Amino acid sequence: MNKDFLIVGFGLAGLSVVRHLEINNTSFDIISNNSQLSSKIAGGIINPVAVKHMKPVWNVEVFLPYAKLFYQSLDKQLSGEIYKNKSLNVFIHDVAQENNWYQACDKPRLSPFLSPEVLTNKNQTLLTDKIGEIKATSINLPILFQCLKQYYQKHWIDDTFQHNNLKVDKSSISYRNKIYKHIIFCEGFGVGQNPFFNHLGIYGNKGDYIIFKSKKLQIEDLYKAKYFLIPLGHNLYKFGATYQRQPLNHQPSLTAKSQMREALNKMINSPYEIVDQVCGIRPTTKDRRPILGSHSKYKNLHILNGFGSRGVMLAPKLGQMLINHILKETPIDPEVSVQRFHAQI
Ligand SMILES: Cc1cc2nc3c(=O)[nH]c(=O)nc-3n(C[C@H](O)[C@H](O)[C@H](O)COP(=O)(O)OP(=O)(O)OC[C@H]3O[C@@H](n4cnc5c(N)ncnc54)[C@H](O)[C@@H]3O)c2cc1C
């Protein structure tokens, strides 16, 4: 049967466009493989504050409330284990950092998210005297993507999209004898294989997490020093993630593991055992903004990509922006539009 849309790739970007197609009662297929793992292994943290410089995240007032509603509705529909509001506790190392915290508390865009005071740490398994608390949200991405594959079973094609099997003309597209009106590419770092959109300068940045077990470390909230400490339940914790430009593969990195072990030893004071290591490649852009919109020549080919960081918070709103653009011709914010690259073709 012919359909309106084919979605290529189902990570956070693919999920967002698919949800908005459903809202618009539009027919679609999803084709996705496991060549990229970014969304499935990501930390799932929605943090409204850029901690290093104590600044609000770009457009937080727009992206944060929309993302919360988006995941709350998935949580309600799918499992009840996906969405949790949590404190993100930042280790305060010195007086300068403490002063920065208090300065940030005076800023109206930041104060709603921050504890008004730097607090004394009372948990003896954590190696810090002081902590600042941020109101954050944690999305359980492994459970979410596990549930979604089942939920979208009827739409799902478990395969690798072969770009050379695509035939494009002005009003329709055919892929392996099926006709679609539009294709949206949501391939993450896999976009490098896509001849229509591989000129956008999306580059990879590999991130590793270690998963460790510790019975003594009894924490439920999120913690951050150099890396994030994310409780998974059942005495398991995720810790990371690193940033590595090379090699861009899905082999867990030994260098990353030893960096994380060193950082963890400075952060917790309880025995632990590393039980796993996972990694993924962030699809990163030079200007650190996502990329969305339609191809300059083939108007029925579209892209949503470039979520090198904060994809959990940004993808819901930007998926909506792309679908509204395609179905209702509403404009795309120039800061994220693919048109910023068209002049360079
Ligand atoms: C280690 C790590 C930690 C992170 N932590 C956080 C965090 O805590 N908070 C946050 O907001 N962001 C985080 N991020 C960033 C976030 O993961 C990314 O922004 C987001 O996952 C990118 O989603 P995506 O859908 O664009 O790409 P992906 O998740 O890579 O999804 C692309 C999908 O397309 C499929 N695909 C690609 N090519 C083809 C093809 N030819 N045929 C079929 N299927 C194809 C891939 O297999 C994959 O399933 C983290 C990223 C990493 C790597």
Side-chain angles (χ1 to χ4, degrees):
M1 202 177 71
N2 298 343
K3 300 243 173 106
D4 293 326
F5 282 82
L6 176 62
I7 310 306
V8 180
F10 194 80
L12 287 163
L15 166 61
S16 177
V17 295
V18 160
R19 287 297 277 183
H20 291 98
L21 290 178
E22 278 187 308
I23 291 167
N24 285 283
N25 290 321
T26 314
S27 60
F28 59 89
D29 284 333
I30 300 164
I31 181 166
S32 196
N33 64 17
N34 282 322
S35 59
Q36 297 299 323
L37 300 172
S38 194
S39 300
K40 285 163 200 128
I41 61 95
I45 298 172
I46 300 182
N47 171 15
V49 181
V51 173
K52 194 169 172 192
H53 303 291
M54 289 306 283
K55 285 190 172 161
V57 166
W58 170 62
N59 265 347
V60 65
E61 294 80 3
V62 174
F63 291 119
L64 182 65
Y66 196 82
K68 286 186 164 203
L69 289 176
F70 182 86
Y71 296 107
Q72 277 164 349
S73 106
L74 283 163
D75 186 74
K76 208 168 160 191
Q77 205 169 345
L78 296 176
S79 114
E81 290 176 71
I82 289 159
Y83 179 100
K84 284 198 173 72
N85 285 323
K86 288 208 172 187
S87 295
L88 169 60
N89 299 296
V90 179
F91 279 33
I92 304 290
H93 299 290
D94 52 34
V95 176
Q97 199 186 353
E98 190 169 346
N99 288 341
N100 287 344
W101 191 274
Y102 283 109
Q103 277 175 17
C105 285
D106 288 337
K107 296 185 180 153
R109 289 186 68 208
L110 282 170
S111 60
F113 306 120
L114 302 178
S115 57
E117 284 175 25
V118 167
L119 312 164
T120 304
N121 170 44
K122 295 192 176 111
N123 183 335
Q124 295 197 343
T125 58
L126 295 169
L127 294 169
T128 184
D129 294 333
K130 290 183 177 178
I131 268 172
E133 208 177 285
I134 299 175
K135 284 186 192 138
T137 302
S138 171
I139 307 299
N140 191 328
L141 295 175
I143 291 193
L144 174 62
F145 280 98
Q146 212 176 307
C147 295
L148 285 167
K149 195 168 176 189
Q150 182 75 14
Y151 182 74
Y152 288 119
Q153 212 177 8
K154 280 192 208 149
H155 304 265
W156 199 279
I157 305 165
D158 216 339
D159 203 358
T160 297
F161 182 87
Q162 306 285 352
H163 301 87
N164 54 4
N165 289 341
L166 183 65
K167 294 195 182 105
V168 194
D169 71 32
K170 275 190 181 154
S171 60
S172 71
I173 297 159
S174 72
Y175 181 71
R176 292 193 172 149
N177 303 324
K178 262 184 130 172
I179 308 284
Y180 297 94
K181 287 186 190 153
H182 301 273
I183 296 199
I184 307 182
F185 291 105
C186 303
E187 300 154 302
F189 183 60
V191 72
Q193 309 297 316
N194 182 334
F196 300 98
F197 288 109
N198 63 4
H199 61 282
L200 305 176
I202 294 174
Y203 65 94
N205 199 317
K206 183 176 168 185
D208 282 59
Y209 280 109
I210 49 171
I211 315 287
F212 70 89
K213 190 165 194 167
S214 171
K215 280 196 180 154
K216 205 176 154 207
L217 186 69
Q218 296 285 332
I219 58 169
E220 290 189 1
D221 281 323
L222 308 163
Y223 286 84
K224 177 175 166 38
K226 182 174 180 186
Y227 299 117
F228 289 93
L229 177 55
I230 306 168
L232 301 175
H234 309 288
N235 298 322
L236 289 170
Y237 298 87
K238 202 169 189 177
F239 187 68
T242 51
Y243 288 83
Q244 213 177 330
R245 288 291 297 276
Q246 289 294 337
L248 292 175
N249 57 32
H250 285 96
Q251 302 299 318
S253 151
L254 285 175
T255 314
K257 185 178 184 177
S258 75
Q259 281 169 4
M260 288 184 282
R261 203 200 300 258
E262 194 182 317
L264 184 59
N265 291 342
K266 288 183 186 159
M267 197 170 171
I268 66 169
N269 177 25
S270 70
Y272 65 88
E273 179 197 356
I274 297 176
V275 293
D276 200 3
Q277 185 171 347
V278 291
C279 58
I281 303 174
R282 303 173 182 91
T284 313
T285 59
K286 286 193 190 112
D287 61 7
R288 296 181 163 262
R289 292 287 178 260
I291 299 173
L292 53 141
S294 311
H295 192 272
S296 57
K297 185 169 168 202
Y298 304 107
K299 298 297 175 198
N300 38 12
L301 301 186
H302 317 276
I303 184 166
L304 180 61
N305 207 319
F307 295 109
S309 65
R310 308 200 185 269
V312 186
M313 185 178 353
L314 305 184
K317 186 73 195 171
L318 295 179
Q320 183 203 38
M321 193 183 282
L322 179 61
I323 297 304
N324 284 346
H325 174 71
I326 298 169
L327 298 178
K328 299 170 191 164
E329 296 185 17
T330 54
I332 290 178
D333 178 350
E335 208 171 346
V336 291
S337 172
V338 70
Q339 285 194 1
R340 68 195 194 271
F341 300 95
H342 286 173
Q344 300 166 20
I345 296 174

